[in-house]
Structures are given as C-alpha cells and as structure tokens.
Amino acid sequence: MSIVTRFAPSPTGHLHIGGARTAIFSWLLARSEGGRFLLRIEDTDRARSSQEMTDAILDSMRWLGLDWDGEPIFQSDRSEIYNAAIDRMLAEGTAYWCECTPEEVEAMRERARAVGAKPKYDGRCRERGLGPGEGRVVRFKGPLTGKTLYDDLVLGTVAVDNAELDDMILRRPDGSPTYNLAVVVDDNAMGVTHVLRGDDHVNNTPRQILLYRALGFAEPRFGHVPLIHGQDKKKLSKRHGAVSVMEYERAGYLPEALLNYLVRLGWASGDQEIFSREELIALFDTAGFSKSAAAFDQAKLDWLNSHYIQNSAPDRLAPHLGRFLAERGRTGVSLDTLTAIAALYQPRAKTLVEMAEQAEFFVMPDAELEYDEKAVAKFLTPEVKEHLVALRALFATFEPFEARALEAAVQAYLDERELKFKVVAQPIRVAVTGRTFSPGLFETVEVLGRESTLARLDRAIALIG
Ligand code: GLU
C-alpha cells in the first residue's frame, strides 16, 4: 500500500509553527515512503477564511520546502459531495433528522450536569423518523454501547466509551456540513492512509472513526502529536514571541534551520540533532515520535540557525542577505559583493537580519558612513594621522587589492618604522567601518574595495583635522 498523507490547514490565520510541524511530519512520512503528500484547504468558515491567508500559508510551505502533490483541494468547493454522504447516511439509517433547538439541547446538557453525568444531546429525535424541515439538523446515529478504539501512531491505544459520545450534528440548519463529516469524506476521497495532526484533535478521532464505519470507508492510521508549549509549559501563543513561520522568515532564519528545529520538537532519531532534508527523508519513521509535549526553545533554534548559516555556501546566503539589506534601504548590491560579505559574516551571525545589520556599513555610500564618537576619540588621534595618510597613499596604488597582499604591504610599512601592528589596526578599522569591530581587517578592506577604502580614509583623516 502506498502511503498518502495530507495537511489540512484552515486559512483563518498565518501558518503557525505548530501547524508547520504537523505539515512537516506528514510531508516527511509521505516522502520517506515514496508516497503522496496532499493539501486540503479547510475553508468552510467563510467569514474567517480568506484567499490571502491561503496564499500566505502556501508561501510559508514553499519557503520551508514542503512540496505537495497535485493541486490543493478546497472544502468550499465540495458541499455537494458532503451532502451526498449525509443523504446516503439518512437513507441507510445511520443518520437522522432532529428538530431540537439549541436551547433545548443546552437544557439537556444542564440537566445532565446537574446529576453529574456527561453533558450531551440525549437522543430525543433518534427514533422519531423526522424528515427535513426549517431549523432542523441531521445527526449521526451513533452506537450507544461498546467502545471505539484505535492504535494511535504516537499515543498508542486510545479508547473511548461510545456512551460518552453524543449524536454529533452532521448538517447544520443552514445545510452546511460539520467539520468531522467533511474531514472524513475528504480524507476518504483523497485516499489518505495516514492522518498526522495536533493532539488538540484527539477527541475528534473516535467520532471520525465511527463515521468511517457508518459510511463503509476504510479507516486510515491516525497519529496525534503533542502541541508545542512555551518554556512555561503553557500552550505556545503570541505571548511567547513569534509564532508564525512568516515571522521567522522575516526575522532572518533559514528555512532549513526552522525545518530541522521543528522536526526535533517531538521526534528523534537517536541523539542526532542536525539533519539535512535528505537525511530526514531517509531516516523519518513514526517510531521516533515522542508522547510528551515539546517546549519551544529559542536558544536551540538560534544555535541551529547559526549552524546552517555557517555551513551554507556563501552564494546561497547572498540573495537572502540582499533581501535583508534591501529592507534597510540598501539596494543594488551585486551578488558578488553580497557573497563576499556573507562569507565574512558566516562564522558570527545568528540570523540573517543580524548579518544585514552588521554588514550594512559595507554597502552604504561612503559619505553616509557614521562614525562612532567614542571610537573616533580613542583611535583617530593626531599621532596616527601621518600613518593613515601614508597608508592611504599605499592603498591608492597597491596591486593586487587583496587581503593577504595588503596585509604584507602594511606589515612592511610597519617593520621599516619598527612599529607594532596595533598602532594602525584599530585606526584603519575605525576609518573604514566607523567602529571598533568588524570581520578581519584586511578581508574587510578587500571586500570594501579600493575606492571606498580611500574615500573613508579621507573622511577619517579629515576628522582628525
Ligand atoms: N483544519 C484543521 C486544523 O487546522 C485540520 C484538522 C486535521 O488535520 O484533520 O486544525
């Protein structure tokens, strides 16, 4: 049997990291087994769903590299299919019309609560043989006794007493199908063999299994992954910081870092922490799921992001860096320059945003470079002026304009005068960067290029006065 999985987001908000994680698991399960990964947009809540959110969710999935097979299906296009299933259940006697009003049902629940029983619909219309009518709903005629159990891929055996479940509504008074019915009809129509989702859905599953049976459909395997918590053990929310995938993209995280991070929240393969996409596809299996809730750990995500920044080819980081510099208003930087800058910052930046922040001085017009006052006071002193003037003259003509050759030339200048490197190192750095920290001095000068180096040395010399 070939595996078919799906991701079924409701487009009522951006793709949050919990949803992304279930999408990743479903995608990995399909890809690791040579199966298919399908997408279904659960947009039946017309008031809260939007095309814009659908597009944003798909963009986040593409950014993470989660490719799906075929076109996404939209629940809003499928009411006839759901209604046909409900009509069949009515004809076969596994569903019935009910005329109880919401107030009456609430009163039943109240009465049950009053005697300490499970609050639920009491089955009043089950055997009345009602037909359609204004304000009526269709309910599932569920089993009253026995248990429904299934073997969860994450949680193991899950069992509920059928007596606990009430006859759920399948069709609302306005004719629209309810969530559980639509999901079962769709998962069956799509040939889904494995449903992986958050454990907030675990209560729906026995109900869905009963619908599978009533409709004569083959049941898929289910797996419910524990929700992601904050460090405070509470359900992850805005309070804990960024929650949508898009926010992480904007904050300068690499997709492979977020993917790797989210996979490890609730899944393991030995004690391995770093997984390439290919490795994940090769290693993924449902035996690696953990039953306990995972806590979001920003420090670990940052560590992984640094790892991926350090280990990416600089020319792959270059377009990302270009995008973040452009956000700071620094556009038109060549890919070669971006690649050279990325290579310098790879060992030190935690995020691409940080990289862009730190590297902005490279690409700003020389006249706009801001000099840190303290750095100027400390290092651009009258004693170093003659050296800066002399080195400016050297840099003006020296060939090749390359880090190691420039370094040797400056060293020769210092040796002749029996001076230490530190006499000129910070003054040059402050002159060309405006501050006291940067990547290697000569690497920085090389990437900056001759023209900017000279222009900035001129500004520094003028600052000394
Ligand atoms: N639309 C549901 C959600 O976003 C999906 C539930 C499922 O995967 O069955 O929670």
Side-chain angles (χ1 to χ4, degrees):
M1 179 185 70
S2 163
I3 281 194
V4 180
T5 66
R6 51 54 162 193
F7 179 51
S10 306
T12 54
H14 287 283
L15 180 63
H16 56 85
I17 54 174
R21 188 182 57 147
T22 28
I24 293 168
F25 288 149
S26 297
W27 172 79
L28 277 175
L29 182 56
R31 294 291 172 259
S32 67
E33 298 282 340
R36 285 162 55 76
F37 172 62
L38 308 179
L39 204 54
R40 175 171 76 235
I41 308 298
E42 304 208 319
D43 57 348
T44 46
D45 183 345
R46 301 305 287 162
R48 292 174 60 226
S49 303
S50 70
Q51 185 58 44
E52 192 194 335
M53 280 307 146
T54 302
D55 294 341
I57 291 170
L58 299 190
D59 281 347
S60 289
M61 291 185 64
R62 285 189 199 98
W63 181 75
L64 282 168
L66 306 180
D67 55 331
W68 55 90
D69 297 304
E71 289 299 314
I73 73 163
F74 289 79
Q75 286 193 323
S76 56
D77 292 340
R78 298 169 59 79
S79 37
E80 278 173 33
I81 301 170
Y82 307 132
N83 273 314
I86 298 171
D87 289 340
R88 177 154 76 81
M89 291 175 74
L90 282 165
E92 293 172 356
T94 53
Y96 61 92
W97 287 99
C98 164
E99 64 171 3
C100 298
T101 62
E103 294 74 30
E104 286 170 316
V105 175
E106 191 41 47
M108 293 172 201
R109 296 210 169 103
E110 264 318 307
R111 278 195 293 280
R113 273 188 214 108
V115 297
K118 181 121 184 156
K120 56 177 213 168
Y121 174 69
D122 67 5
R124 188 172 305 171
C125 295
R126 245 176 110 95
E127 306 300 341
R128 290 178 65 199
L130 294 174
E134 181 69 23
R136 291 185 183 172
V137 299
V138 175
R139 287 186 181 273
F140 176 51
K141 197 171 199 174
L144 299 172
T145 56
K147 279 182 189 300
T148 298
L149 44 103
Y150 75 96
D151 183 19
D152 193 286
L153 290 163
V154 183
L155 308 171
T157 302
V158 175
V160 288
D161 285 326
N162 292 331
E164 302 255 302
L165 308 171
D166 58 4
D167 286 348
M168 69 186 127
I169 295 178
L170 304 177
R171 179 187 285 159
R172 299 189 188 90
D174 67 1
S176 63
T178 53
Y179 165 74
N180 280 311
L181 182 278
V183 167
V184 168
V185 169
D186 283 338
D187 281 337
N188 175 71
M190 293 161 78
V192 171
T193 61
H194 290 69
V195 172
L196 296 180
R197 56 188 170 199
D199 69 4
D200 49 335
H201 284 287
V202 79
N203 290 332
N204 286 323
T205 302
R207 297 170 193 277
Q208 292 181 10
I209 288 175
L210 290 172
L211 292 179
Y212 275 95
R213 292 178 188 163
L215 284 159
F217 296 157
E219 290 160 38
R221 295 293 311 267
F222 293 92
H224 294 87
V225 290
L227 295 184
I228 303 175
H229 287 174
Q231 294 287 347
D232 56 4
K233 307 253 188 299
K234 303 231 169 70
K235 190 180 163 210
L236 200 68
S237 72
K238 274 270 161 225
R239 271 184 310 112
H240 296 96
V243 287
S244 75
V245 168
M246 206 184 62
E247 286 171 278
Y248 284 98
E249 178 182 357
R250 291 199 182 139
Y253 289 84
L254 284 171
E256 49 271 47
L258 190 60
L259 180 87
N260 191 151
Y261 177 71
L262 290 176
V263 166
R264 281 286 292 108
L265 268 185
W267 180 85
S269 175
D271 49 18
Q272 186 169 343
E273 287 293 355
I274 309 260
F275 296 90
S276 69
R277 190 173 292 269
E278 294 67 33
E279 261 178 309
L280 283 173
I281 292 173
L283 290 172
F284 189 78
D285 62 2
T286 55
F289 281 131
S290 148
K291 278 188 204 183
S292 42
F296 192 81
D297 179 352
Q298 184 66 44
K300 185 166 171 195
L301 173 59
D302 289 348
W303 171 74
L304 276 168
N305 205 45
S306 306
H307 168 87
Y308 282 100
I309 288 179
Q310 275 172 33
N311 292 282
S312 293
D315 61 353
R316 174 162 141 47
L317 298 175
H320 290 291
L321 176 62
R323 203 156 42 80
F324 288 107
L325 281 170
E327 271 176 26
R328 305 178 69 83
R330 309 295 171 188
T331 53
V333 186
S334 77
L335 266 184
D336 281 350
T337 302
L338 290 168
T339 304
I341 297 174
L344 291 185
Y345 280 94
Q346 272 185 290
R348 53 194 94 223
K350 213 168 58 191
T351 67
L352 294 159
V353 165
E354 204 178 278
M355 187 184 281
E357 241 165 56
Q358 290 178 8
E360 190 179 355
F361 77 84
F362 271 105
V363 297
M364 52 171 72
D366 302 317
E368 277 179 35
L369 182 71
E370 281 179 26
Y371 285 91
D372 175 67
E373 269 180 40
K374 279 198 193 132
V376 169
K378 183 153 181 214
F379 295 108
L380 297 184
T381 54
E383 306 82 81
V384 299
K385 186 170 178 179
E386 63 166 308
H387 301 308
L388 289 183
V389 170
L391 291 171
R392 190 226 181 262
L394 187 146
F395 288 159
T397 54
F398 189 82
E399 290 290 351
F401 203 82
E402 281 169 6
R404 293 289 75 80
L406 289 166
E407 182 175 14
V410 170
Q411 194 58 55
Y413 170 89
L414 293 169
D415 289 346
E416 248 172 62
R417 292 162 183 77
E418 294 187 5
L419 294 171
K420 292 226 157 62
F421 182 58
K422 74 168 205 251
V423 174
V424 297
Q426 284 301 66
I428 301 176
R429 177 173 276 119
V430 173
V432 299
T433 72
R435 56 201 179 187
T436 52
F437 53 92
S438 77
L441 180 60
F442 295 100
E443 284 76 4
T444 300
V445 168
E446 177 185 331
V447 171
L448 206 50
R450 195 191 305 271
E451 205 184 312
S452 281
T453 302
L454 298 182
R456 293 175 185 202
L457 281 167
D458 287 340
R459 284 194 60 196
I461 292 164
L463 278 175
I464 300 174

